[in-house]
Amino acid sequence: MKLEKEGAGLPNMERLFIKNIFVPIVRTFFTWDLALYLVKKEAQKIEKLVSQIPKELLSKKVLITRAFAIEDHSRQYSLNMICEHLTIAGMGVSSVIKKLSKEKKPKSDITIEQVKPKSNDDKSLGNYLNFMKMYENMINKLDKKQSKTKQKHPWFVEFNNFDWTVFMFMHTFIHRRQIEEIIRELKKDSNV
Amino acid sequence: MFSSYTGTIFRALFIILSIISLWYLAVLVVYFLITLIFSLDFSFSISLGLFAVLVLGRMFYPKNVFV
């Protein structure tokens, strides 16, 4: 099956719904602490889900049906690839949050192509969990003051430091759902 | 059974509704305490009004959520 090219983005209706309805609602009701608490819970769920899967299946690429807020190109990932993507994207976002918190504009925009997984490494889950510890420390040390400086998300609007922390939760949540879908498919094919 | 796509949307809505409920609960508790302290009549419509004021406030402070 031919997937769309990387960086093609979301279907227009889905993108506009998230940009114009979902983002303002989330900005209104989330707080720094809530965003951090929820992203930590998501990381715990991912750890529980992925660690129960035999090592030989972690690198198996699985094609899943269209998932909400995930571009077509990312539909055929392995569990390792998702963990790697969460780490790469998370590190990029942490760096943006740190810069925006100092009211500094990051030098370049984040692109979807930059945060695609490059390998299919079995250490991906461990790397992701280590990254999450670093991320939690970084957020705990922040001033929790919303920055005036913003950085554009490739699909949506310009986000300030707070918006990016909420994005970290929503992004992890969406990929945790993708992990669940991959595990469902793996269970169909084998006795996991 | 829901597809993964629909399931994700429903779960996201559930999370947001839960958070909105938490905010309302916080308003309700504060309002209830005020009615107790100042011996005022408790009214759910006033609590909803206070919640609306809080939501409007958060929409524009500390930043405009639409920009």
Side-chain angles (χ1 to χ4, degrees), chain A residues 141-156:
Chain A
K141 285 178 188 162
L142 275 187
D143 267 350
K144 314 285 188 302
K145 193 179 160 199
Q146 293 210 24
S147 66
K148 288 189 176 71
T149 316
K150 294 173 185 173
Q151 171 78 352
K152 192 175 177 348
H153 183 282
W155 294 341
F156 309 119

Side-chain angles (χ1 to χ4, degrees), chain A residues 4-108:
Chain A
E4 281 185 41
K5 65 177 174 64
E6 64 177 15
L10 300 179
N12 218 22
M13 278 299 287
E14 197 169 304
R15 190 182 61 80
L16 288 174
F17 169 77
I18 295 173
K19 182 181 168 182
N20 297 312
I21 297 172
F22 207 69
V23 168
I25 292 176
V26 160
R27 276 172 167 170
T28 305
F29 293 103
F30 269 72
T31 64
W32 291 91
D33 291 334
L34 203 51
L36 181 61
Y37 170 78
L38 288 173
V39 78
K40 275 164 56 187
K41 293 298 276 184
E42 287 301 326
Q44 284 166 8
K45 285 179 191 172
I46 288 172
E47 181 181 12
K48 200 175 165 190
L49 283 166
V50 177
S51 54
Q52 66 173 353
I53 302 300
K55 208 176 170 185
E56 62 273 18
L57 293 177
L58 293 177
S59 56
K60 187 177 177 185
K61 290 185 185 179
V62 180
L63 180 68
I64 58 164
T65 54
R66 260 278 298 142
F68 179 71
I70 291 180
E71 74 169 9
D72 198 55
H73 180 268
S74 308
R75 274 204 296 138
Q76 196 165 20
Y77 274 4
S78 66
L79 294 171
N80 281 338
M81 288 166 82
I82 299 179
C83 292
E84 190 190 341
H85 165 68
L86 287 171
T87 311
I88 298 172
M91 285 180 8
V93 170
S94 324
S95 153
V96 167
I97 293 171
K98 272 194 259 183
K99 285 216 165 129
L100 292 178
S101 298
K102 292 174 187 163
E103 298 294 352
K104 284 182 186 162
K105 181 101 178 158
K107 280 176 191 152
S108 56

Side-chain angles (χ1 to χ4, degrees), chain A residues 160-175:
Chain A
N160 69 5
N161 57 352
F162 167 72
D163 297 331
W164 280 108
T165 61
V166 180
F167 168 81
M168 271 293 282
F169 158 62
M170 296 310 300
H171 177 249
T172 313
F173 162 73
I174 294 294
H175 284 290

Side-chain angles (χ1 to χ4, degrees), chain A residues 14 22 24-31 34 66-68 146 150 160 163 169 173-174 177 181, chain B residues 3-5 7-9 11-12 15-16 19-20 23 51 55 58-59 62-67:
Chain A
E14 197 169 304
F22 207 69
I25 292 176
V26 160
R27 276 172 167 170
T28 305
F29 293 103
F30 269 72
T31 64
L34 203 51
R66 260 278 298 142
F68 179 71
Q146 293 210 24
K150 294 173 185 173
N160 69 5
D163 297 331
F169 158 62
F173 162 73
I174 294 294
R177 291 283 300 154
E181 189 62 18
Chain B
S3 68
S4 172
Y5 185 93
T8 304
I9 295 174
R11 279 169 177 81
I15 292 167
I16 288 169
I19 293 169
I20 293 174
W23 277 105
F51 179 63
V55 171
R58 282 195 61 86
M59 278 179 173
K63 62 166 258 184
N64 184 342
V65 297
F66 302 103
V67 179

